């Protein structure tokens, strides 16, 4: 028997392995196996099992099988084949998304170093520019190093011939070490009685005389009425030692055994379960979608419901129908800040059938969640974008909440998938309805609804007759001339906050920048304190008294003088959340203020506890970045203030207007979600901008109509498909050279595609690498599925690797990029 195996490597083909006789009954399509690959040992995915093969060469054998049951079937495999084809990665790279991180088995090739001998060789080297010199320099200070770490240290991939020479010279030895899975099931020692209670009672007097501590242990176990107790808990409760328990085991009174325990992520945020009477508009949506769940029919819905219209309750009611059909449910939310409230509501309705998946969980918690889903114990999965790849075999409903959110796009790793678009494909493969919900749908989704690809459902009213908030735009330039600005706040906003504090109502303040000041500027030489690794300004953080780069994480003490000219005449500009919090505390010294941004919510459960406190009225003002605009539902919030509406408006990106409109509409929707009408104050320098005017009028349709005309005129999605090519290297010349060569390789596609010339990326230097971009546009009229666009990228990539002298430069491609910065 033979197995076709794919690996999480950029090879677009399967490799054939022989199945040894002892593994024949375990190797099936859809399991993971451990197999030799070149000089390494890796985890791969079996996509096919056959009785014969055409291969005449020697065939290696599979070494081990990692799964008892398949983790994907033929239906699910179609989805991963689509991911690989559409986002231009290998099938193995796509399938890697399916398994929790830390479960793979692989060998690491390590170089073991004879330090003295290497130092002698190093001293003999005269040319300091050679690769051999750099390798010896790196090896001379270490006992051991992996190949990948050495490649990174010397900045070159082609080190193998030099290492072979050093092996022959006797300076180093190459060793293969198999590293097992880092995450495994958690096992805990338990103890239970090994004799019946009558027999025990007769032995107690004798035991009490010799060892009263042993009796203490036995009495607790008798009290447990046959149930087993964790050893650690029993010893803690009785204040006895392990030796006491061991001697009881030797005498045959108790039995100690290992039991697997389930690591469950505990969400600290809890809400009281409420019974809701559905509104007419909610019932209408249910009546439309329910039959599709029952009949297993695929249909994509765009649920356009204003903030506070009760979309979450619609998802819950639809989930109940899916469960009645014995099907599973997948609920995707954009990011962590949304999970506490939505998860709590699902737990209230479905209890332990709900499993959460997101990046705040420990590796063990994620692994156990994944296994619960795989075994079918958890029927409802709530999570961020990676939850899309949970091993659900029979989904009856897929929901993408806040479908417009940019965080559904994977930016950092391959494949660079969009979870929203992929969810629609997953629904079509499984024949189940997909609901995309938002108060501010993305331009692409709304267009898809217009052309009939999605079915549009609207919920234009808030529940409980709550009114949409009144919005006021405050021009800070005009206010400043009138003397009505106090530092970063207008008097209008400060007066409104004071009024709400007196009434003991909740206030949310949005400033979409972290830190205290976003720039440090020298008045003498005019220079701004920049990050040495990235072409962005350093941000001042007052709490830690440091300056930090928000892209590479570089942190340094605050400079006392300008680092360019030494002048002490330095000024702090720009407003971050720390400064907003600091100034509010100055104006309202008795107010209880808390901050939500990615700097403040690093501790586990911090966000949940903070939201609980805010809901109970223990916090008066919540200050935050765009996190506070998402999904928060508190009836006590009656005022939302936006310090600066322009933070996203000035970005040189074709989605800047859309992002601004969505952010401001979403944050405005946090106000007035009960009987008391909410109010929103937006400070701006440009209140005539059309995006801000449409926020003021709460006019999504008006915004969409203007934006869609601009998109068509400029040739941007949804009328074109985009691919963004990026080259990056520590040498500016090499990054530029690679981009020029790749552009040449694309030349033959110029008739059909619009291809930009290589330009420096907006953030030209990032984490020490210089970056160049090429933007490719493909019209949907001539290339509706984007096949030509993808073919152009792949063929140019192949040609580039064949002829370019810059092929060691890092090259990335992103299909359907969310941002072109």
């Amino acid at each position: 028997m033979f197995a076709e195996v794919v690996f999480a490597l950029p090879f677009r083909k399967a490799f054939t392995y022989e199945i040894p006789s002892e593994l024949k009954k375990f190797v099936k399509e859809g399991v993971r196996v451990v197999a030799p690959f070149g000089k390494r040992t890796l985890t791969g995915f079996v996509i096919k099992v056959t009785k014969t093969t055409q291969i005449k060469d020697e065939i290696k054998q599979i070494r081990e099988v990692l799964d008892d049951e398949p983790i994907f079937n033929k239906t699910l495999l179609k989805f991963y084949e689509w991911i690989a084809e559409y986002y231009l990665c290998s099938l193995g790279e796509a399938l890697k998304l399916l398994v929790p991180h830390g479960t793979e088995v692989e060998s690491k090739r390590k170089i073991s170093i004879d330090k003295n001998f290497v130092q002698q060789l190093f001293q003999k080297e005269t040319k300091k520019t050679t690769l051999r010199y750099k390798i010896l320099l790196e090896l001379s200070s270490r006992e051991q190093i992996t190949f990948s770490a050495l490649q990174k240290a010397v900045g070159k991939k082609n080190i193998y011939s030099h290492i072979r020479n050093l092996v022959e010279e006797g300076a180093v030895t190459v060793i293969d070490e198999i590293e097992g899975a880092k995450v495994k099931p958690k096992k805990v020692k338990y103890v239970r009685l090994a004799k019946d209670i009558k027999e025990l009672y007769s032995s107690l007097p004798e035991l009490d005389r010799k060892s009263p501590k042993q009796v203490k242990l036995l009495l607790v176990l008798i009290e447990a009425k046959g149930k087993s107790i964790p050893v650690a808990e029993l010893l803690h409760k009785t204040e006895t030692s392990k030796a006491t328990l061991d001697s009881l085991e030797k005498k045959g009174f108790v039995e100690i055994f290992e039991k697997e325990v389930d690591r469950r992520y505990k969400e600290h945020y809890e809400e009281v379960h409420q019974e809701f009477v559905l509104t007419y508009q909610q019932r209408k949506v249910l009546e439309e979608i329910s039959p599709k769940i029952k009949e297993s029919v695929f249909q994509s819905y765009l649920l356009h419901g204003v903030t506070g219209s009760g979309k979450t309750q619609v998802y819950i009611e639809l989930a109940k129908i899916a469960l009645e059909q014995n099907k599973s449910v997948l609920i995707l939310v954009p990011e962590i800040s949304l999970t506490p409230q939505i998860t709590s509501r699902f737990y209230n309705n479905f209890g332990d059938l709900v499993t959460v998946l997101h990046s705040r969980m420990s590796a063990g918690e994620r692994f156990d969640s994944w296994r619960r889903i795989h075994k079918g114990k958890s029927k409802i999965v709530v999570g961020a974008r990676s939850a899309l790849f949970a091993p659900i075999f029979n989904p009856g409903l897929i929901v993408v909440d806040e479908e417009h959110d940019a965080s559904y796009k994977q930016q950092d790793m391959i494949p660079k998938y969009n979870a929203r678009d992929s969810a629609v494909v997953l629904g079509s493969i499984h024949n189940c309805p997909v609901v995309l919900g938002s108060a501010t749908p993305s331009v692409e989704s709304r267009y898809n609804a217009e052309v009939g690809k999605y079915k549009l459902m609207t919920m234009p009213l808030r529940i409980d007759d709550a009114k949409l908030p009144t919005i006021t735009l405050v021009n800070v330039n005009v206010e400043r001339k009138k003397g009505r600005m106090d530092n970063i706040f207008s008097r209008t906003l400060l007066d409104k906050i004071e009024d709400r504090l007196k009434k003991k109502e909740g206030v949310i303040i949005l400033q979409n920048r972290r830190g205290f000041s976003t720039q440090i500027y020298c008045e003498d030489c005019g220079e701004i304190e920049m990050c040495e690794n990235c072409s962005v300004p350093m941000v001042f953080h007052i709490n830690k008294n440091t300056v930090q780069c928000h892209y590479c994480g570089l942190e340094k003490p605050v400079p006392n003088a300008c680092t360019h000219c030494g002048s002490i005449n330095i000024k702090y500009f720009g407003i971050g959340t720390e400064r907003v919090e600091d100034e509010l505390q100055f104006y309202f010294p008795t107010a209880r203020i808390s901050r939500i941004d990615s700097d403040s919510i690093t501790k586990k459960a911090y966000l949940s506890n903070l939201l609980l406190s805010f809901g109970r009225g223990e916090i008066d003002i919540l200050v935050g970045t765009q996190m506070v605009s998402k999904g928060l539902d508190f009836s006590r919030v009656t005022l939302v203030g936006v310090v600066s509406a322009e933070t996203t408006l000035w970005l040189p990106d074709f989605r800047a207007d859309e992002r601004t409109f969505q952010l401001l509409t979403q944050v405005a929707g946090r106000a007035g979600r009960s009987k008391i009408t909410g109010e929103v104050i937006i400070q701006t320098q440009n209140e005539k901008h059309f995006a801000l005017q449409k926020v003021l009028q709460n006019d999504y349709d008006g915004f969409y109509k203007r934006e869609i005309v601009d998109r068509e005129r400029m040739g941007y999605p949804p009328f074109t498909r985009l691919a963004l090519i990026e080259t990056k290297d520590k040498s500016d010349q090499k990054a530029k050279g690679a981009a020029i060569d790749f552009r040449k390789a694309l030349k033959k596609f110029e008739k059909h595609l619009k291809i930009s010339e290589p330009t420096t990326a907006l953030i030209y230097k990032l984490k020490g690498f210089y970056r160049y971009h090429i933007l490719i546009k493909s019209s949907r009229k001539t290339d509706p599925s984007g096949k030509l666009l993808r073919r152009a990228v792949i063929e140019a990539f192949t040609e580039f690797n064949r002829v370019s002298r810059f092929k060691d430069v890092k090259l990335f491609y992103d299909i359907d990029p969310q941002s072109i910065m």
Side-chain angles (χ1 to χ4, degrees):
M1 297 289 284
F2 301 93
E4 285 188 22
V5 180
V6 292
F7 297 94
L9 297 167
F11 299 110
R12 290 162 198 274
K13 65 170 197 163
F15 297 86
T16 303
Y17 287 86
E18 191 185 335
I19 304 170
S21 54
E22 68 274 14
L23 294 180
K24 273 181 184 167
K25 62 178 179 185
F26 303 111
V27 177
K28 307 167 194 162
E29 287 174 18
V31 298
R32 287 172 301 159
V33 293
V34 177
F37 186 86
K39 292 184 177 177
R40 294 184 288 168
T41 301
L42 297 172
T43 295
F45 302 86
V46 176
I47 58 165
K48 202 172 181 188
V49 175
T50 57
K51 287 184 178 173
T52 57
T53 180
Q54 303 297 314
I55 294 167
K56 300 284 184 279
D57 305 328
E58 186 199 345
I59 297 176
K60 293 176 181 178
Q61 287 195 335
I62 284 167
R63 290 185 183 167
E64 203 181 323
V65 181
L66 294 180
D67 303 303
D68 299 331
E69 292 297 324
I71 58 172
F72 60 89
N73 54 20
K74 277 191 165 65
T75 309
L76 214 46
L77 185 60
K78 277 186 202 164
F79 174 60
Y80 289 96
E81 285 170 340
W82 176 83
I83 291 260
E85 193 270 328
Y86 190 84
Y87 292 108
L88 304 181
C89 67
S90 71
L91 180 56
E93 285 171 319
L95 282 166
K96 195 183 178 189
L97 298 166
L98 177 63
V99 291
H101 186 63
T103 56
E104 58 280 348
V105 173
E106 59 182 344
S107 66
K108 285 269 192 285
R109 296 190 77 203
K110 290 183 178 171
I111 303 160
S112 188
I113 302 150
D114 180 338
K115 262 170 85 172
N116 294 337
F117 192 9
V118 166
Q119 279 162 0
Q120 286 170 30
L121 292 174
F122 176 61
Q123 278 152 15
K124 288 178 191 171
E125 279 300 307
T126 51
K127 284 188 179 174
K128 293 188 177 183
T129 52
T130 63
L131 181 55
R132 180 179 165 93
Y133 178 87
K134 287 178 185 172
I135 289 170
L136 287 169
L137 173 65
E138 200 56 44
L139 297 181
S140 61
S141 59
R142 299 172 184 257
E143 306 269 323
Q144 213 179 54
I145 188 171
T146 62
F147 271 84
S148 55
L150 183 58
Q151 285 168 325
K152 200 172 179 183
V154 299
K156 293 278 182 189
K157 285 185 179 175
N158 53 342
I159 61 172
Y160 298 100
S161 56
H162 290 280
I163 297 300
R164 271 199 297 275
N165 290 338
L166 290 172
V167 169
E168 282 167 19
E169 290 171 55
V172 301
T173 314
V174 175
I175 48 175
D176 269 337
E177 279 184 14
I178 300 280
E179 287 192 356
K182 294 176 184 72
V183 187
K184 291 176 181 164
K186 186 180 180 181
K187 291 187 175 170
V188 170
K189 285 194 167 154
Y190 273 73
V191 59
R192 64 182 163 218
L193 293 172
K195 293 186 174 183
D196 68 54
I197 291 178
K198 279 183 188 172
E199 204 178 332
L200 277 172
Y201 275 131
S202 61
S203 312
L204 285 179
E206 177 68 15
L207 268 177
D208 197 20
R209 200 162 48 78
K210 289 181 178 173
S211 178
K213 283 185 178 176
Q214 290 180 11
V215 174
K216 207 175 180 183
L217 283 169
L218 286 172
L219 288 172
V220 173
L221 286 166
I222 290 166
E223 211 179 302
K225 293 179 179 160
K227 284 185 183 167
S228 55
I229 299 176
V231 167
E233 188 188 307
L234 180 67
L235 297 180
H236 179 72
K237 200 173 183 179
T238 55
E239 295 174 341
T240 49
S241 67
K242 179 78 166 59
T244 311
L245 188 61
D246 289 342
S247 54
L248 273 176
E249 188 187 28
K250 275 179 197 162
K251 291 171 187 169
F253 286 111
V254 298
E255 183 189 343
I256 297 171
F257 62 98
E258 272 195 330
K259 192 160 129 184
E260 204 175 289
V261 293
D262 194 7
R263 288 163 286 197
R264 266 190 182 266
Y265 176 81
K266 183 77 183 88
E267 194 63 80
H268 290 251
Y269 182 85
E270 286 178 358
E271 286 187 348
V272 179
H273 182 42
Q274 289 174 279
E275 288 298 332
F276 291 98
V277 177
L278 295 179
T279 63
Y280 169 71
Q281 60 182 13
Q282 286 173 321
R283 288 199 306 275
K284 227 171 121 185
V285 173
L286 290 175
E287 282 163 17
E288 163 64 40
I289 302 173
S290 302
K292 300 284 190 284
I293 297 173
K294 290 172 183 170
E295 293 155 24
S296 299
V297 174
F298 164 67
Q299 173 69 55
S300 296
Y301 292 96
L302 177 61
L303 180 57
H304 181 185
V306 296
T307 51
S309 57
K311 293 186 288 294
T312 303
Q313 196 56 38
V314 168
Y315 307 153
I316 288 167
E317 297 302 325
L318 289 171
K320 287 176 184 172
I321 294 158
L323 289 182
E324 282 166 14
Q325 308 299 310
N326 199 25
K327 291 178 177 175
S328 298
V329 177
L330 175 61
I331 310 284
L332 295 184
V333 292
E335 57 183 310
I336 252 137
S337 57
L338 264 183
T339 51
Q341 282 198 316
I342 201 166
T343 308
S344 172
R345 288 172 193 184
F346 271 89
Y347 272 130
N348 282 343
N349 282 276
F350 305 107
D352 282 347
L353 283 176
V354 179
T355 279
V356 184
L357 279 176
H358 60 65
S359 59
R360 280 288 146 101
M361 300 165 75
S362 69
E365 286 166 345
R366 279 182 79 92
F367 178 58
D368 286 358
S369 289
W370 185 89
R371 290 195 311 147
R372 276 198 302 279
I373 298 160
H374 183 234
K375 289 174 183 170
K377 289 179 182 176
S378 291
K379 293 281 189 185
I380 295 178
V381 180
V382 181
R385 65 172 177 248
S386 61
L388 177 70
F389 307 106
I392 300 172
F393 291 101
N394 67 334
L397 171 71
I398 298 171
V399 171
V400 184
D401 192 29
E402 309 292 359
E403 64 82 30
H404 65 274
D405 201 283
S407 57
Y408 281 123
K409 175 75 173 169
Q410 167 61 271
Q411 310 275 17
D412 308 318
M413 284 152 62
I414 291 167
K416 296 189 174 192
Y417 64 89
N418 187 316
R420 176 199 63 203
D421 300 347
S422 304
V424 173
V425 173
L426 185 63
S428 73
I429 287 169
H430 279 297
N431 292 319
C432 75
V434 180
V435 180
L436 311 178
S438 176
T440 52
S442 63
V443 170
E444 288 94 324
S445 293
R446 181 58 192 263
Y447 180 76
N448 282 337
E450 240 175 47
V451 297
K453 194 176 173 185
Y454 299 164
K455 186 157 189 182
L456 180 64
M457 307 285 300
T458 57
M459 290 167 62
L461 303 171
R462 284 185 155 189
I463 54 173
D464 297 337
D465 299 325
K467 298 282 179 284
L468 284 167
T470 55
I471 301 172
T472 308
L473 296 178
V474 175
N475 188 320
V476 291
N477 298 325
V478 174
E479 291 281 286
R480 195 168 281 116
K481 283 173 189 165
K482 289 180 181 173
R484 286 182 51 79
M485 286 300 291
D486 283 352
N487 289 329
I488 62 174
F489 293 108
S490 64
R491 278 276 21 130
T492 308
L493 181 52
L494 290 174
D495 292 345
K496 296 285 183 190
I497 295 171
E498 191 174 3
D499 174 56
R500 292 319 191 276
L501 292 176
K502 280 178 189 163
K503 292 176 181 169
K504 303 225 174 329
E505 291 167 5
V507 178
I508 288 178
I509 303 290
L510 167 81
Q511 175 59 5
N512 203 20
R513 288 276 172 84
R514 289 185 287 145
F516 188 85
S517 298
T518 52
Q519 287 180 3
I520 300 172
Y521 169 77
C522 174
E523 290 201 314
D524 286 341
C525 70
E527 291 286 351
I528 289 171
E529 192 66 33
M530 301 291 282
C531 172
E532 57 205 53
N533 303 321
C534 313
S535 54
V536 294
M538 297 291 272
V539 176
F540 171 46
H541 284 256
I542 198 167
N543 297 355
K544 296 185 275 186
N545 201 31
T546 58
V547 289
Q548 192 185 2
C549 172
H550 287 171
Y551 287 87
C552 72
L554 176 71
E555 204 168 330
K556 296 194 315 197
V558 177
N560 296 320
C562 173
T563 52
H564 300 277
C565 71
S567 164
I568 55 165
N569 199 6
I570 52 178
K571 290 272 189 288
Y572 293 89
F573 283 101
I575 306 156
T577 46
E578 283 181 14
R579 183 169 170 195
V580 174
E581 183 186 21
D582 194 60
E583 292 207 8
L584 281 170
Q585 205 69 74
F586 169 74
Y587 290 116
F588 307 106
T590 58
R592 295 159 300 178
I593 302 167
S594 280
R595 178 165 51 90
I596 294 185
D597 57 30
S598 49
D599 294 323
S600 67
I601 63 161
T602 48
K603 292 191 193 85
K604 202 171 182 179
Y606 177 85
L607 178 63
S608 294
N609 292 332
L610 193 132
L611 294 180
L612 277 171
S613 300
F614 188 57
R616 287 195 295 257
E618 292 160 11
I619 293 169
D620 301 312
I621 304 174
L622 207 54
V623 176
T625 54
Q626 39 109 26
M627 285 184 169
V628 296
S629 72
K630 296 178 183 180
L632 301 185
D633 184 1
F634 294 106
S635 56
R636 63 182 292 264
V637 175
T638 58
L639 176 68
V640 166
V642 179
V643 176
S644 172
E646 275 78 21
T647 47
T648 47
L649 203 54
W650 290 335
L651 296 175
D653 191 276
F654 74 95
R655 293 186 204 272
D657 291 349
E658 181 187 8
R659 292 262 181 273
T660 304
F661 176 82
Q662 287 165 343
L663 176 66
L664 296 178
T665 304
Q666 290 284 344
V667 79
R670 303 309 115 211
R673 294 170 82 102
S674 64
K675 295 281 183 277
I676 309 165
T677 306
E679 200 170 351
V680 183
I681 306 292
I682 299 173
Q683 296 186 166
T684 173
Q685 295 181 39
N686 181 11
E687 89 264 41
K688 292 201 164 48
H689 192 284
F690 99 92
L692 300 185
Q693 283 298 316
K694 294 301 172 193
V695 172
L696 180 67
Q697 295 152 13
N698 194 34
D699 181 11
Y700 173 84
D701 288 342
F703 172 79
Y704 170 75
K705 280 172 187 156
R706 162 111 180 234
E707 184 69 10
I708 201 78
V709 169
D710 287 350
R711 295 278 184 96
E712 187 166 24
R713 185 169 52 83
M714 302 293 287
Y716 280 111
F719 301 99
T720 58
R721 288 185 191 274
L722 302 181
L724 185 68
I725 312 297
E726 177 174 306
T727 61
K728 64 181 199 178
D729 196 89
K730 294 206 166 175
S731 153
D732 181 19
Q733 287 309 107
K734 285 172 74 178
K736 188 177 183 178
I740 290 166
D741 283 2
F742 197 89
R743 178 67 181 79
K744 282 177 191 164
L746 283 165
K747 201 162 179 57
K748 66 174 182 179
F749 293 97
E750 279 181 331
K751 273 186 196 167
H752 312 287
L753 304 173
K754 201 171 175 185
I755 306 163
S756 78
E757 291 303 318
T759 54
T760 54
L762 186 74
I763 301 171
Y764 166 48
K765 191 181 179 191
L766 193 63
K767 298 180 183 177
F769 288 89
Y770 294 94
R771 304 160 70 228
Y772 283 81
H773 281 169
I774 299 167
L775 186 66
I776 311 171
K777 292 180 180 178
S778 173
S779 167
R780 285 192 182 231
K781 282 180 184 166
T782 53
D783 183 22
S785 66
K787 225 170 194 163
L788 178 64
L789 176 72
R790 298 193 294 278
R791 196 183 101 211
V793 173
I794 285 295
E795 286 188 20
F797 185 66
T798 309
E799 176 71 3
F800 170 82
N801 276 331
R802 195 174 63 80
V803 301
S804 176
R805 62 193 176 95
F806 299 112
K807 49 178 161 279
D808 60 335
V809 167
K810 288 185 178 177
L811 198 145
F812 300 93
Y813 33 79
D814 186 358
I815 302 294
D816 301 341
Q818 275 295 301
S819 164
I820 51 175
M821 285 163 61

